[in-house]
Amino acid sequence: MTRPPQGPATARGPRARRVSRTALAGATSLALGLGGLLLTACGSDDDEDAGGSAKLAVAGAYLPQPPTPDIAAGYLSVRNSGDAADRLTSVTTALSDRVTMHTTEGTAMRKVTEFEVPAGGELNLARGGDHLMLEKLSRQPKVGETVTLTLHFAQSPAIEVSVPVKPTSYQPEV
């Protein structure tokens, strides 16, 4: 009884199967690795943050003392010194269970779900324009107090801001 050769040239035998499985595993790993490299290299041109990140800082925040006990407005600027845009998506505070964002178009105020913070630019929330509305206040804040707001962004970490309560008629210097 003669046995067939067991070397790598034959398609039969346990050693040949091991070589085939090893070759298959290596080829699969190579294909997956190259596929991953191709997917990484083929990023979308539409990505806002491709190649950079937003660098956000908040300035000029204030909350006029509300004339009524249940609603207040908030104003601030978010500066972005980074090379990618971001979006302000929500604001939270212990003073109110509901903070909404609004834009003003002419004389009409409209609720929005987010504000753009452009790369190398600024988001300005100011009287007569884009602003925050704190609704159903837990208490009426008084001049001299501070209110903590937490700003939540689409890409960047949240930023906590201590916002001073100013007189109702306060107008910041420009």
Side-chain angles (χ1 to χ4, degrees), residues 9-93:
T10 181
R12 294 154 74 202
R15 184 169 178 206
R17 275 184 238 141
R18 273 189 298 241
V19 170
S20 295
R21 286 183 190 145
T22 304
L24 180 60
T28 301
S29 294
L30 181 61
L32 289 174
L34 289 175
L37 288 174
L38 289 173
L39 287 174
T40 302
C42 296
S44 168
D45 290 337
D46 296 335
D47 290 345
E48 290 178 4
D49 57 349
S53 64
K55 293 180 183 153
L56 307 178
V58 177
Y62 73 98
L63 187 129
Q65 180 177 330
T68 62
D70 58 344
I71 194 164
Y75 308 104
L76 53 86
S77 293
V78 181
R79 294 186 183 124
N80 183 354
S81 61
D83 55 2
D86 205 341
R87 295 179 316 280
L88 176 64
T89 56
S90 67
V91 178
T92 55
T93 179

Side-chain angles (χ1 to χ4, degrees), residues 87-110:
R87 295 179 316 280
L88 176 64
T89 56
S90 67
V91 178
T92 55
T93 179
L95 182 62
S96 169
D97 287 339
R98 185 173 177 199
V99 179
T100 55
M101 299 181 287
H102 293 89
T103 190
T104 304
E105 299 165 343
T107 58
M109 184 173 68
R110 180 176 53 88

Side-chain angles (χ1 to χ4, degrees), residues 58-62 74-78 123-126 132 149 151 161 163:
V58 177
Y62 73 98
Y75 308 104
L76 53 86
S77 293
V78 181
L123 165 64
N124 289 307
L125 304 182
L132 304 173
L149 299 179
L151 309 179
V161 184
V163 181

